[in-house]
Amino acid sequence: MQTEKRNWKKGIFWFIFAVAVIAVYKLLDNLGEITTWLRGLISVLMPFIMALLLAYLFYLPCRKIEGIIKKVKVKFIKKRARWLSIFIVYLITIVLMLIIFKFIIPTVYESFMDLAKSLPGYYSSMIDTLEEIPEDSVLNKVDWKTIIEGLGEIKIEDFVNLEMIGAYAKGIIGVATSVFSVFVTIVVSMYLLAERSEIIEFARRLCGAIFNTNIYKTLAKYFRESNEIFFRFVSSQIIDAAIVGVLASIAMSLLGVKYAILLGFMIGLFNLIPYLGAIIAIAVAILITIFTGGITQAIWMAVVVIILQQIDANIINPKILGNSLEISPILVIFSVTVVGAYFGIMGMFLAVPMIAVVKLVLNDYIRYKEGLKEP
C-alpha cells in the first residue's frame, strides 16, 4: 500500500514537472508574442499606472490640506474636506504647470537651440584667443589648443541623440494630446485619493488574512517605513531642485552669464541626482560659460554656484529632507553609480531611497541577530 502511495506521488511529481517544462518551452517559443501582448497590456493600463503615481505624490499634500480644512467650523465645508483638499492640490498643480510651460520651457528651449547653433562660433573664437597667448606665458605650458580642438570634435549629437529626442517628443505629445488618457488618469487619481482610507483598510485586511500575525506586522512595518522614506525623499528632492534651479538662474543672471536660465534649469534638474548630479552640472555650466563669457566670468560663476550648492547641501536640503536617511556619502555615490548603470536616470534618482530601505532591513536583521546572541 505504501509502495503504491509512493509511486502515485512520484507519478504526480513527474507529471507536474513535465507540464512545467512544456510551459517554459512554449513561453520561450512564443516570447515575441508574449512581449507584444505585455506591451499592449501596459499601454492600456498606463492611465491607471499614472493615476496611481499621481495619487501617491499628492497623498501627503492632500492629507495636510484636509487637516486644515477640517478645523473650519462651517459644517458644509468640514463635511467636504477631502474633496476640497483634492481640488486645491490639483488647482495648484495646474497653475504651476501653466507657469512652467508658458514662461520657463520656451526660454530654456530657445537658449538650448541658440547654444547649439553658436557652438562652432565659440569654438573658433576660443582657438583665436589661444593663438594670441605669448609663447613665454604660463598658460602655454598647458596644451590648451589640443584640449580645445578635442572639444571641437565633440558634437551636440554625441551627448544628445536628436532623433531620439524627436521620437520622445512625439510620444509625449501623443500622450499629452490623448484627451481620454489624461482624463482617465486625473479622474482615477482623484478617486484613489478620495477613497484612500477604504483602499488602505482593504489592503490591510487582505494581508492580515493571507499572512500570519508576525509576518503581517513585519510587512506592515517595512511598508510604512519604506513608503515614508520614498515619499519624503522624492518630494524633498523635487522641491530642493526647484529652489536650487531658481537661485542659480538668478545668481547667474546678476553676473551677466549668457544662457543663465538654461544653465540654472540644468543645475536644478541634475540636482535631483545626489552628489554626482551637482558635480556634472557645474562642470558643464563652467565649460559653456568659458565659451560664452570667458574664463574670468566662468570662475566667478563657478564660485557663486559652488557657494549655492554648499548652502543647499548644509542648510536647505537638510531642512527639507531632515535626517531620516542618514546615509554615508560613499554609500550614496556607490548606489547612484551602480543602480544608474543598470536603470538609467530613473535608477540614479531612486538609488538613494532604495539603498536606505536596504540599510533599514539590514540594520534590523543585525539587531535581531545580536539580540539572539546576548546571554
Side-chain angles (χ1 to χ4, degrees):
M1 186 72 179
Q2 287 183 350
T3 307
E4 287 181 7
K5 193 174 181 181
R6 198 160 41 243
N7 290 336
W8 182 79
K9 284 184 178 179
K10 275 186 179 181
I12 292 292
F13 169 78
W14 285 112
F15 175 75
I16 293 170
F17 179 76
V19 170
V21 168
I22 293 168
V24 170
Y25 171 76
K26 283 292 182 184
L27 182 68
L28 294 173
D29 193 42
N30 298 283
L31 195 59
E33 293 178 12
I34 292 168
T35 305
T36 305
W37 178 81
L38 284 173
R39 283 177 184 168
L41 180 64
I42 291 170
S43 177
V44 172
L45 294 177
M46 190 52 69
F48 299 93
I49 295 168
M50 293 303 296
L52 190 62
L53 180 63
L54 271 181
Y56 178 76
L57 292 174
F58 291 164
Y59 167 70
L60 192 58
C62 283
R63 194 178 69 177
K64 288 190 174 181
I65 293 171
E66 184 182 348
I68 295 167
I69 295 171
K70 280 184 176 177
K71 292 177 183 177
V72 177
K73 292 182 180 179
V74 180
K75 196 174 179 181
F76 178 82
I77 296 174
K78 197 173 180 178
K79 246 177 128 178
R80 293 160 177 80
R82 178 158 294 186
W83 276 106
L84 283 171
S85 68
I86 294 168
F87 174 76
I88 290 167
V89 168
Y90 272 87
L91 183 64
I92 292 169
T93 304
I94 290 167
V95 170
L96 287 173
M97 285 181 69
L98 287 173
I99 291 169
I100 290 167
F101 280 101
K102 178 71 177 174
F103 300 105
I104 298 175
I105 297 298
T107 306
V108 169
Y109 175 76
E110 285 174 15
S111 298
F112 179 80
M113 296 307 294
D114 184 59
L115 175 63
K117 289 176 185 175
S118 304
L119 275 178
Y122 292 134
Y123 165 70
S124 300
S125 176
M126 184 64 71
I127 290 292
D128 293 340
T129 304
L130 289 171
E131 286 177 348
E132 292 172 5
I133 296 173
E135 289 183 8
D136 58 346
S137 173
V138 177
L139 290 173
N140 256 336
K141 294 190 178 178
V142 180
D143 195 1
W144 291 108
K145 192 171 180 180
T146 304
I147 295 170
I148 297 299
E149 284 175 355
L151 290 172
E153 293 174 4
I154 299 172
K155 299 177 181 178
I156 193 74
E157 291 85 354
D158 295 333
F159 294 98
V160 183
N161 189 325
L162 296 178
E163 289 182 6
M164 192 178 288
I165 286 178
Y168 283 144
K170 286 178 184 176
I172 292 167
I173 292 167
V175 172
T177 52
S178 177
V179 179
F180 177 75
S181 294
V182 173
F183 177 75
V184 169
T185 298
I186 293 171
V187 171
V188 172
S189 64
M190 285 182 167
Y191 275 107
L192 286 171
L193 287 167
E195 299 177 9
R196 60 180 182 266
S197 301
E198 293 83 352
I199 293 168
I200 292 169
E201 178 61 19
F202 172 77
R204 188 190 66 78
R205 289 177 60 200
L206 181 63
C207 289
I210 294 171
F211 303 106
N212 64 46
T213 306
N214 290 332
I215 295 175
Y216 167 72
K217 285 181 179 178
T218 304
L219 287 174
K221 172 183 177 290
Y222 285 123
F223 177 80
R224 185 171 59 252
E225 293 183 8
S226 300
N227 183 61
E228 185 180 343
I229 288 170
F230 269 87
F231 186 86
R232 195 164 187 182
F233 178 81
V234 172
S235 58
S236 64
Q237 284 298 103
I238 292 171
I239 295 167
D240 182 63
I243 293 170
V244 170
V246 170
L247 291 176
S249 297
I250 292 169
M252 285 189 284
S253 297
L254 292 173
L255 288 171
V257 175
K258 197 171 183 182
Y259 310 122
I261 294 175
L262 171 64
L263 296 178
F265 180 82
M266 180 193 68
I267 289 169
L269 193 65
F270 274 72
N271 210 61
L272 290 168
I273 302 168
Y275 291 100
L276 295 179
I279 295 169
I280 294 167
I282 292 172
V284 174
I286 290 170
L287 184 62
I288 291 172
T289 308
I290 288 172
F291 279 107
T292 57
I295 294 173
T296 305
Q297 191 181 61
I299 291 170
W300 278 110
M301 185 276 295
V303 170
V304 171
V305 172
I306 289 169
I307 290 170
L308 280 175
Q309 287 286 359
Q310 290 304 308
I311 292 169
D312 172 60
N314 295 290
I315 300 171
I316 299 172
N317 194 276
K319 285 286 182 187
I320 298 170
L321 185 59
N323 299 316
S324 59
L325 298 184
E326 295 179 349
I327 301 173
S328 165
I330 297 171
L331 197 58
V332 170
I333 294 169
F334 174 79
S335 62
V336 168
T337 304
V338 174
V339 179
Y342 285 95
F343 299 100
I345 297 296
M346 187 57 69
M348 295 175 80
F349 176 59
L350 295 175
V352 175
M354 285 167 66
I355 207 72
V357 173
V358 172
K359 182 188 171 188
L360 173 71
V361 175
L362 289 176
N363 280 338
D364 283 355
Y365 177 74
I366 291 167
R367 279 194 292 268
Y368 170 74
K369 283 293 184 181
E370 287 174 344
L372 290 178
K373 290 178 183 177
E374 286 179 5

